[in-house]
Amino acid sequence: MDLTQIRSPVADDVKAVDKLIIDRLQSNVVLINQIGHYIVSSGGKRLRPLLVLLAARACGYSGSRHLDAAAIVEFIHTATLLHDDVVDGSELRRNRDTANTVWGNEASVLVGDFLYARAFEMMVDVGNLRIMEVMAGATARIAEGEVLQLLNANDADTDESRYMEVIQRKTATLFEAGTRLGAVLTEAAPEVEAAMASYGLHLGIAFQLVDDALDYMSDDGTIGKQVGDDLDEGKPTLPVIRAMEVGTEAQRKRLRQAIEEGGRQHIDDVVAAIVETKAIDYTVELARWHAEAAKQALNAVPASPSRDALAATADFSVARTF
């Protein structure tokens, strides 16, 4: 399935969430509206809110609060993007200038704060303490992941376990929280909630692994950012970590220098080492393992078009080129 097919079981819900996001973005501060709409309309996959919708339907939910939950997750995700781009000094996302490039770092950080606040306002409106508990915990864990990633920056001794801890916290946590909400809304049995959370966690890990592989194997127009961004920012992601682990002494020396110095001046040497050590294959294979684990977790819910779409999303997460 492609994304259009994956969305089809909840197509009406997707449209309703898009409208809700626009409605709840409104502020009487013009700059907030400008930046918020710029980010939300930037052509992202909207995968995280889609997962909330599909998980809720797969668990048998028949109400409308899943729309609010999906919008909440998207607002939190968008806030993290605004903050990430400032921290990383990113200039391009989804083939467009980042908000901090257009409006400056201060405005981007403050609008990110607004989106966090709006998300928690919406949680209060929903009035489900368990949803607030899940999302508050997830938001704190995401922030911890950001700090851990900052500590790993330009550190050539970062190993696979430290890298995995970062991506579990920074990326997979929001996937996990979103799919867990689908079960929370239906007041599902604890084992079903745990299974849906496991699905989201493994899917989020697979998604980030592929993202990090694509950073070294796609052209700028395909992935919507500059190739080698991770290296430029001194981020030791799995393709580089694996190449350092199994490469020659000369390759390890060059990779260590590239991570510690950052920048793009070493990109050709880094890509060559990643190719020669088959580090991309290693990264993608690990992503496939996590995608399969995600699909296995879906056995906790009955067969349905929404469950099929969730399984297809796991396949999409590792087959995609963007």
Side-chain angles (χ1 to χ4, degrees), residues 256-270:
R256 174 174 288 274
Q257 182 182 12
I259 293 170
E260 291 177 347
E261 293 181 1
R264 299 179 189 277
Q265 64 269 28
H266 303 289
I267 187 64
D268 291 340
D269 286 342
V270 170

Side-chain angles (χ1 to χ4, degrees), residues 131-145:
I131 288 178
M132 296 188 70
E133 179 183 23
V134 169
M135 296 311 301
T139 304
R141 190 168 170 80
I142 292 165
E144 289 171 342

